[in-house]
């Protein structure tokens, strides 16, 4: 807080008179030359006050061409961005001030993964900026348990597969696409697609009726995906249709309005149907155009719906990846051998794809490797930091880790593989706690759960959710009993759950505090819970019923407000009778942080096999996917993140100066310069309040609201006019007064005071 006092000496009064038009209380206009002579005798330049702004303490009257900045008269800066250690550098129009330097914003971005390494995506600007190093304006969350508030809910229908999120029209907040189930009396396979507003949950495209060929209902037990298959650079919706008499489904693509783009067909044009059951759509790019190809288990479709591969024929491809008779695969796509071309991993099998551009386009898919063990659900990461990926496989109540280049059991004891001279020395499958009965295990999630810089594996079973670690060289095994063998899988912690219906549900992870240790977000038949990744401690419990298939809660910025939200689906069918004391519910529920402290995240989650590098910020599949395991800050699977800039914070500061140019009319102008001195932009709509007195306890004499974004270094001036007081009066200003809407790195510079203020008088 700055204390500004102006003392009423005759010389100062005459100076102020020069600023304010030299009016006398009697209304006369003293001779200008005479006043100037008096000022000169007092050693004061009569032109100093041209423009009429009092600034700083002691008061300085800023001359024309100057402005009051940080209590100093500085040369006016047309860009409004004063920069440098002493704020005397004026940045050019369009530049921002970061780390005391003028910076030209870079490429357009939706999140930091659109930017070059060392840059962050400034959300107010939507362009990349260099990440300050060191970061001097930051906010690091400090909390343990999660406190949530329900932001919205869609409760009209049952849902038993994950929602998918992206901005389908490129305007405003993201949209949410849901696969409704138990529609039209057709049971779980009877589904409909609907599109919701991510901000409110309002229905944008009502549930689409099953009316082929005009429109197609969905297979309510399957998982849908988003990505551009039409070439308009906007995400489309890809899903499995309802079954025919032979229990087979078409694959359908629709645009954001619900219009059908295509249905799956052979190269000759005949309809091609598949056995879907519980399968999930995976999108990837195998050719040289930006439109995505579609993978469902062991089937591959071009972006126009042409079926190029159906392993086993007759629509059997999607059954590859079936886990312990639970029909339907959830394929992964990754470049396992480092040749720059992605492979399809259906489970215990990996497949090479050779693309033939045509026309017409075609693909040759050949076996790469086959694991000798059971089939199941894959996920990809580099577990030993050797630069090569491993495949984590959940299959028949066990967790398996495979060498991504060979399909052999991984050599966890030695990244080079030299120490594994026999199969027995390789990392053996680990039994999911609870036995083999009703315990097949769900799709694995991979993240750094404990903050040690190395990824671990999270898997849900029928009886527990468990975190699995690996006895890698240098692994901290303190407190682990019995001590695992070198390279072995072991359970770090396990929490009792209940999923006896499918025992194949998934999970996702998110680092809510940004401390490097990710939390688990999981829903069994009765409850959604968040577990501490470090020790499994329950940080949040919400009653939420589901019959379970492969669904999981996910974390995404669903409303585009810069904050993370948890999304969880629910249904009140058979699960309702299995959860004593829990009220069954249905639909989709969105929860945010009641204290607004969770770190931000991306605005996309596009498929079951989501990982950051397989979705652009626009919700599409990249032309060439970066290896997730080799991208700094990632090496994860089914985890959402933010990237650089996660702790960047704004810092709003306010300076109060006094305009005397309206004294002729008997008024003072209170001018509040609001400046963002931080490392993150602030959207319009921040309140400024002017008070009489020396604190916010004084009466309000004016209110104003910022109308422009304030990027780092930028400022804006807000004013209010008050009647010239009969006696010297104090004024006080605040910006974003508590409880403010802007979380800042410094809350101590949000007010300022000017004392003994009055239009000049000449006695």
């Amino acid at each position: 807080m700055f204390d500004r006092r102006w003392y009423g000496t005759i010389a100062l009064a005459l100076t102020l008179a020069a600023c304010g038009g030299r009016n006398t209380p009697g209304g006369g206009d003293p001779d200008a030359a005479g006043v100037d002579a008096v000022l000169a005798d007092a050693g004061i330049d009569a032109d100093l006050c041209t423009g009429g702004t009092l600034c700083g303490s002691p008061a300085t009257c800023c001359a024309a061409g100057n402005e009051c900045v940080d209590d100093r008269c500085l040369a006016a800066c047309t860009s409004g961005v004063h920069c440098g250690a002493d704020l005397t550098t004026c940045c050019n129009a369009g530049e921002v001030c970061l780390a005391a330097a003028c910076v030209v914003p870079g490429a357009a971005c939706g999140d930091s993964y659109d930017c070059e390494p060392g840059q962050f995506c400034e959300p107010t600007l939507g362009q990349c900026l260099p990440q300050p190093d060191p970061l001097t304006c930051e906010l690091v969350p400090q909390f343990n348990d999660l406190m949530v508030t329900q932001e919205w809910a869609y409760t009209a229908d049952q849902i038993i597969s994950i929602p998918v999120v992206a901005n389908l029209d490129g305007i405003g907040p993201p949209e949410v696409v849901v696969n409704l189930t138990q529609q039209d009396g057709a049971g779980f396979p009877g589904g409909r697609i609907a599109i919701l507003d991510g901000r409110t949950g309002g229905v944008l495209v009502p549930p689409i009726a099953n009316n082929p060929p005009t429109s197609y209902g969905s297979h309510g037990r399957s998982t849908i995906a988003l990505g551009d298959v039409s070439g308009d650079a906007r995400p489309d919706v890809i899903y499995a249709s309802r079954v025919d008499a032979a229990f087979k489904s078409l694959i359908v693509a629709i645009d954001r309005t619900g219009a059908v783009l295509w249905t799956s067909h052979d190269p000759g044009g005949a309809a091609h149907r598949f056995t879907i059951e519980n399968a999930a759509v995976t999108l990837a790019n195998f050719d040289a155009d930006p439109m995505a190809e579609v993978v469902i288990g062991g089937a591959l479709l071009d972006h126009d719906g042409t079926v190029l591969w159906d392993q086993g024929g007759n629509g059997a491809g999607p059954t590859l990846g079936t886990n312990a008779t639970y029909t339907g695969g959830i394929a992964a796509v990754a470049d396992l051998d480092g040749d720059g071309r992605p492979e399809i991993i259906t489970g215990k099998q990996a497949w090479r794809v050779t693309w033939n551009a045509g026309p017409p386009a075609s693909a040759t898919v050949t076996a790469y490797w086959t694991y000798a063990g059971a089939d199941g659900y894959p996920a990809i990461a580099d577990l030993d930091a050797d630069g090569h990926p491993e495949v984590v496989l959940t299959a028949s109540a066990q967790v398996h880790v495979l060498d991504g280049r060979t399909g052999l059991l991984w050599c966890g004891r030695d990244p080079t593989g030299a120490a594994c001279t026999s199969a027995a020395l390789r990392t053996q499958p680990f039994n999911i706690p609870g036995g083999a009965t009703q315990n097949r295990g769900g799709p694995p999630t991979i993240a750094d759960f404990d903050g040690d810089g190395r990824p671990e594996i999270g898997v849900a079973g029928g009886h527990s959710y468990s975190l699995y670690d690996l006895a890698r060289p240098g692994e901290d095994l303190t407190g682990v009993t019995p001590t695992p063998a070198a390279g072995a899988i072991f359970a770090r912690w396990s929490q009792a759950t209940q999923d006896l219906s499918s025992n194949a549900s998934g999970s996702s992870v998110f680092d809510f505090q940004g401390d490097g240790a990710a939390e688990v977000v999981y829903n069994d038949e009765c409850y959604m819970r968040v577990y501490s990744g470090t020790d499994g401690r329950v940080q949040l419990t919400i009653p939420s019923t589901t019959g379970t298939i492969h669904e999981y809660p996910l974390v995404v910025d669903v409303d585009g407000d810069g904050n993370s939200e948890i999304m969880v689906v629910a249904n009140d069918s058979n699960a309702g009778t299995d959860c004593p004391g829990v009220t069954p519910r249905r639909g989709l529920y969105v929860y945010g942080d009641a204290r607004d402290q969770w770190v931000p995240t991306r605005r996309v989650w596009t498929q079951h096999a989501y990982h950051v590098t397989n979705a652009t910020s626009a919700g599409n599949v990249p032309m060439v996917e970066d290896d997730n395991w080799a991208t700094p800050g990632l090496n994860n699977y089914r985890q959402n993140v933010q990237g650089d800039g996660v702790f960047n914070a704004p810092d709003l500061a306010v300076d109060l100066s006094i305009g005397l140019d309206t004294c002729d009319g008997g008024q003072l102008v209170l001018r509040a310069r609001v400046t963002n001195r931080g490392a993150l932009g602030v959207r319009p709509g921040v309140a400024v309040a002017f008070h009489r007195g020396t604190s916010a306890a004084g009466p309000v004499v004016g209110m104003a609201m910022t109308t422009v974004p304030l990027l780092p270094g930028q400022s804006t001036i807000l004013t209010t006019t008050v009647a010239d007081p009969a006696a010297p009066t104090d004024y006080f200003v605040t910006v974003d007064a508590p409880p403010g809407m802007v979380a800042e790195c410094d809350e101590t510079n949000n007010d300022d005071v000017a004392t003994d203020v009055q239009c000049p008088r000449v006695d």
Side-chain angles (χ1 to χ4, degrees), residues 144 442 453:
N144 290 315

Side-chain angles (χ1 to χ4, degrees), residues 16 20 23-25 658-660 662-670 692 720-729 731 756-762:
L16 300 183
N23 288 349
T24 63
I658 308 300
L660 304 173
T662 58
C663 281
D664 279 347
Q667 293 182 317
L668 290 173
V669 179
L670 309 185
R692 187 167 59 247
T720 194
T721 302
V722 296
D724 176 25
T729 302
Y731 294 98
D756 294 340
V757 173
Q758 189 181 29
C759 278
R761 281 143 170 89
V762 178

Side-chain angles (χ1 to χ4, degrees), residues 613-693:
T613 57
N614 75 345
T616 69
S617 64
N620 294 321
V621 175
M623 283 275 289
V624 178
E625 181 184 337
D626 293 332
D627 293 333
N628 183 280
W629 58 88
T631 302
L634 297 182
N635 196 18
N636 50 21
Y637 213 84
R638 298 187 175 96
Q639 177 180 2
N640 224 350
V641 296
Q642 168 64 20
D644 286 340
V646 67
F647 297 134
N648 289 19
D651 176 19
L652 295 177
V654 64
D655 297 310
L656 180 60
S657 60
I658 308 300
L660 304 173
D661 48 310
T662 58
C663 281
D664 279 347
Q667 293 182 317
L668 290 173
V669 179
L670 309 185
R671 293 177 180 153
R673 175 183 290 274
V674 180
T675 304
N676 183 0
R677 298 177 181 171
L680 197 69
V682 176
R683 291 183 171 87
V686 180
V688 170
F690 299 87
H691 300 261
R692 187 167 59 247

Side-chain angles (χ1 to χ4, degrees), residues 377-402:
Y377 311 128
I380 316 295
D382 180 3
L383 301 180
D384 52 15
D386 68 347
H388 301 291
E390 281 71 52
V391 175
V392 177
L393 188 67
T394 305
S396 297
Q398 290 185 317
V399 177
H400 311 245
V401 179
L402 312 180

